[in-house]
Amino acid sequence: MAADTKTSFDLKKWFKDRYDFGPFLDLAKHKIVPIHHHTIWYYFGGITLFLFLVQVLTGILLLLYYRPGADSAFESVQFIITQVKFGWLIRSLHSWSANLMVLAAFIHMFSNFFVQSYRKPREFTWLSGMLLFGLTLGFGFSGYLLPWNELAFFATKVGTDIIGVVPVVGKPLLIFLRGSEDVTGATLNRFFGFHVALLPLTFLGFLTIHLLFVQDQGMAEPISYSKLPKEKQRSMAFFPNFVLRDLIGWLFVLIILTLLALFFPWELGKKADLFASAPAGIKPEWYFMFMFQTLKLLPSTLFFIEGELLGILGFGLGALLWALVPFFDKRGSENRSNPFLRIIGVAIVLYILAMTVAGYVL
Amino acid sequence: MSFKRRHVLCLIPAALVVSLLLVLSPYEECLAQNSCRDCHKELGDALAQPVLDMDKGDIHASRNLSCADCHGGDPTSEDAEIAMSSKKGFLGKPTTAKVPEFCARCHSNPGYMRNYSVSIPTDQYEKYWGSQHGMTLKKGGTDVATCINCHGVHTIYPAKNPQSSVWPVSVPKTCDKCHGNEALMKKYGRDYSTYKDYAAGVHGQALLVKKDLGAPACNDCHGNHGAVPPGVDIVAQVCRECHASTAELFLSSPHKAAFDALKLPECVACHSNHRIERPKDQFLSVTGEGFCGKCHSADDANNGYKTAILIKAAIDSLREQQAEAASLIDAAEKKGVAVNEAKFLLKDSQDALLKSRDAIHTVNLEKVEASVKAGLNITQKVMQMGRQALDEFRFRTSGWFISTILILLLIIGIWLKIRQMEQRTNSKS
Amino acid sequence: MSDQKKFDPDRRNFINIFLGGVGIASLGAVLYPLISYLIPPKVTEATPTTLKVAKEDDLVPNTAVMFQYGRNPGILLRTADGNFKAFLATCTHLGCTVQFRPDLGVIWCACHNGRYDINGINISGPPPRPLTPFQVNVQNGDVYVSEAKS
């Protein structure tokens, strides 16, 4: 945006002589963003990405003072929010941003489901997105334990217990996750490792794939839009028109994020006590609530199988079908809308909403 | 009968070793052959009860003492007539009046008791006769407590065993067996609601509800074997066992002489004895439930009335300031500002309030005010920290507003830029 | 907006300058907390395990000083024979802060006359347990306390 075109020209040349970024710039230059009444949903991918970047930045900052370990984790978080300048802000931002990121990812995923963006040739974008979503939940689950406070401790206990119900692989998986039979300091160290090394690396890999696909294939067009005659297909350039709009969205999110962090500081609570009895009303994070509530409502045995197990298997199967939906949606691959899947999608959204509300109200 | 057959079989080897056993270890043999236990078990009901009771972990049984060691007689004899004959030293069941002596045969014999424990006291018998219980028994009252009423009969646990009826937490209930008996207490002109009063008071709450073994049970104030109600003039000496500094302050105050002159029972005069209420600052009032007004009136020659009002005002001011400081800190904490240091200091100021409340026992205004002032100084510091914390929150909020305005301006700028750009491209095309 | 204003170079310049200015200011608003965060705080560690509480020479035998350990009070005392002992100064009965009584040679709790000997063992009164000890080290004339290794 610099007015001095002479310098920018020179700079471009300077770079071009050393490495030609041309193809990358062309990629951005040629990409267009369709304009239609669903354009708004295009922003949620970007918002999720922005929140991820906030997570990376605040996460690295927290790492400067955080100390994993059962007898130092809680104290170090307390130290961050009391002794370190703006530590309260960084910590609160990290917690709020994590939640908003999950929310944005949910919206991003469902909006793409409803406009059938996953259809040919974007199956891989959808699949990598699903993996990213799973990893995001993994970030949430592992990060929740790191302050080593009472609520997180028991939520992790309950959460990992559920995994242990799965036959054959459940028990070994449980031990792998916990690092011991029970949730202990060993679990904390493990979750720390997952949260700051394993998950970010994997996430970055899939994120690169996801973004490259999006850039290369361009924004998915809704079926109705793709059927319009060419001259009626309105669009804007990805760069700079859409990117600047994206930026406005990010800035709004930043305002909301800091507002939440300041006026609704994320509480640290009490330090986890391995021997204390669980306080009443242990709840998982809100994005796990619908699953938790379902498992709670299931009868203890259903069709001769343990209700909880059935629920877990059901969710597992559901997630698998959801991830493979591009391969089921034959109508979609023929560029036709699929009312049946739309009804299913609406039902799933309603179910998640109802169960989440039930989890907090009941 | 199976035991008889067993004995017949035993006879052969027994005959060989019995003489040796008699010399080496008399009660090994007793246990091996204890006709008291065998017969009484067979007899059932009330007569079998002592045997069953002894088997519940009784201290005497666990130290290998047998029935005959207390009751006499000959446990080696199969014949009840011989086993329980006075010729064999059989004592049977002692009468109430004889119980202390019965137990004292061993328990007041240091030489004998040393076989079991070197630290066990042996002065209980002597003390007992000095107690209200013992004195009444001597006068022929047989409905008073002897050893067994408190310690049990055949299932006696050491006092340090939590199952024991004289374990601190159990003592009040044990005493209440008699002291809560309306008819019995009326006979001796005693209060029978002591347990209820005690249980409702601070000490009862601490011991019975919180199970704080440091809290006094009946015997900690009244003594146990030498139990008597403390006299009016030595109450403070009993209370000072724990409330040392308070008693010190009281004893050095002009109240000591005044209370003695009026025959007021020191601490008890204000705080009561069994139903001791958790102290409130309201107690210092000269009106209503306040204690000071009970003796002092506005026309006091010695200024007591005025002093009471001023002392209460001093304490009230500290308490109120402290509440204000606490709410300030609370407000800051709710806003997410860290106040750990202030909270630590607040605890200090609460300690200071405690000290000031203690200091009122001097009934000396200057001393109370000095103590209150020390507390106020700390409280002021806490308040300052609380205000700083709220300032910090204001700083955060204003920082947020400034940044938000900047970002909003940036948004407007970008939006203008987009419009400008798109208008240009539109008009170009 | 009227048509003639569309290509007004002044307007374009104004927007660019405005954007640049606000952009830099916003960046400052974001960077200020981040850079402040990076400056090491006064207390440099979350859970200092070792604390310098006194100078050896400042404490004559048969006296004690109080210190703050984390969020709890501690007591460092120098015994009559010159040794140092340190304990958590919280009475094990009801949590009052204990003090050293040189006249009695015991650690004393004013609340209910609980007493501990100079090894922190409860010797009389209501306290049910000994005081929690700290490990004491003396180095170059400074007295350090740290959590006792169990």
Side-chain angles (χ1 to χ4, degrees), chain A residues 43-337:
Chain A
Y43 293 102
F44 280 90
I47 287 173
T48 315
L49 176 64
F50 171 66
L51 290 166
F52 175 70
L53 294 176
V54 172
Q55 286 307 81
V56 172
L57 180 69
T58 53
I60 289 172
L61 289 175
L62 288 175
L63 264 181
L64 299 184
Y65 298 106
Y66 178 76
R67 285 213 231 165
D71 44 7
S72 59
F74 181 85
E75 285 79 0
S76 67
V77 176
Q78 198 168 45
F79 176 76
I80 290 170
I81 61 179
T82 60
Q83 302 293 326
V84 182
K85 279 215 179 85
F86 289 101
W88 58 274
L89 179 66
I90 303 297
R91 195 254 161 172
S92 211
L93 280 179
H94 195 73
S95 303
W96 273 112
S97 175
N99 283 277
L100 293 188
M101 180 180 164
V102 176
L103 182 67
F106 259 111
I107 296 172
H108 181 50
M109 179 175 78
F110 275 103
S111 62
N112 280 312
F113 177 82
F114 284 119
V115 295
Q116 289 164 287
S117 311
Y118 50 76
R119 67 193 192 277
K120 193 184 143 199
R122 294 187 172 79
E123 291 95 334
F124 285 129
T125 319
W126 172 262
L127 273 179
S128 59
M130 284 303 290
L131 286 168
L132 287 173
F133 186 70
L135 290 170
T136 304
L137 294 182
F139 268 121
F141 189 68
S142 58
Y144 194 51
L145 181 69
L146 299 189
W148 199 241
N149 56 17
E150 201 176 38
L151 282 176
F153 174 74
F154 284 105
T156 305
K157 212 167 179 163
V158 174
T160 42
D161 263 338
I162 290 171
I163 297 164
V165 174
V166 181
V168 191
V169 292
K171 187 80 184 164
L173 196 62
L174 176 89
I175 302 226
F176 165 73
L177 278 178
R178 287 184 173 176
S180 71
E181 286 276 339
D182 256 311
V183 177
T184 58
T187 321
L188 177 62
N189 273 39
R190 224 159 242 251
F191 274 35
F192 176 68
F194 295 152
H195 192 82
V196 305
L198 182 65
L199 290 174
L201 266 181
T202 327
F203 195 94
L204 272 180
F206 286 112
L207 183 62
T208 312
I209 294 171
H210 196 72
L211 291 179
L212 278 179
F213 268 110
V214 173
Q215 284 307 306
D216 191 45
Q217 298 181 324
M219 299 298 201
E221 300 166 350
I223 290 165
S224 58
Y225 178 91
S226 68
K227 285 184 175 156
L228 287 175
K230 270 275 175 284
E231 64 275 14
K232 284 215 166 172
Q233 290 183 342
R234 295 205 303 130
S235 66
M236 65 175 129
F238 174 73
F239 187 86
N241 304 47
F242 186 77
V243 167
L244 284 178
R245 284 182 168 81
D246 238 356
L247 192 60
I248 290 179
W250 291 16
L251 291 172
F252 270 120
V253 171
L254 182 64
I255 290 175
I256 294 170
L257 200 56
T258 48
L259 177 120
L260 289 170
L262 174 61
F263 294 102
F264 305 92
W266 206 268
E267 270 184 46
L268 180 56
K270 273 196 291 183
K271 187 180 174 174
D273 178 358
L274 263 61
F275 303 106
S277 50
I282 282 295
K283 286 187 170 71
E285 294 260 75
W286 60 268
Y287 39 86
F288 292 121
M289 187 48 110
F290 72 98
M291 292 192 262
F292 183 72
Q293 185 62 18
T294 307
L295 296 182
K296 231 165 80 179
L297 290 182
L298 281 174
S300 58
T301 47
L302 203 69
F303 314 120
F304 311 107
I305 312 177
E306 206 181 315
E308 203 175 35
L309 175 58
L310 200 72
I312 294 163
L313 294 179
F315 280 121
L317 191 67
L320 190 68
L321 290 176
W322 184 256
L324 296 178
V325 80
F327 307 101
F328 288 107
D329 188 5
K330 285 280 172 280
R331 289 174 69 96
S333 53
E334 291 159 9
N335 208 15
R336 288 191 297 147
S337 69

Side-chain angles (χ1 to χ4, degrees), chain B residues 309-362:
Chain B
I309 292 174
L310 292 173
I311 284 181
K312 180 165 188 299
I315 298 282
D316 284 347
S317 75
L318 178 53
R319 192 193 56 239
E320 280 154 17
Q321 291 270 305
Q322 210 171 78
E324 205 183 317
S327 71
L328 211 58
I329 288 184
D330 212 40
E333 193 174 33
K334 281 210 182 87
K335 290 185 152 81
V337 186
V339 285
N340 292 1
E341 291 294 307
K343 272 185 157 176
F344 186 81
L345 208 60
L346 186 66
K347 226 174 98 186
D348 268 5
S349 93
Q350 278 156 354
D351 278 356
L353 178 59
L354 214 65
K355 266 190 203 136
S356 303
R357 283 170 172 159
D358 201 22
I360 65 106
H361 293 98
T362 58

Side-chain angles (χ1 to χ4, degrees), chain B residues 212 214 240-245 341 344 351 354 403 406-407 409-410 413-414 416-417 419-420 423-424 427, chain C residues 1 6-7 11-12 15-16 18-19 22-23 25-26 29 68 71-73 93-94 97 110-113 126:
Chain B
D212 172 1
R240 84 184 301 173
E241 286 281 320
C242 292
H243 300 277
S245 65
E341 291 294 307
F344 186 81
D351 278 356
L354 214 65
S403 324
L406 285 175
I407 293 171
L409 287 175
L410 187 61
I414 297 171
L416 287 174
K417 184 83 192 165
R419 264 184 42 139
Q420 186 196 48
Q423 273 171 354
R424 209 156 18 120
S427 52
Chain C
M1 292 281 151
K6 272 179 204 162
F7 296 104
R11 189 177 134 85
R12 196 179 156 197
I15 290 179
N16 282 342
F18 176 75
L19 258 182
V22 174
S26 310
Q68 189 178 339
R71 272 183 287 165
N72 300 305
H93 179 222
L94 292 177
T97 302
C111 285
H112 293 100
N113 202 16

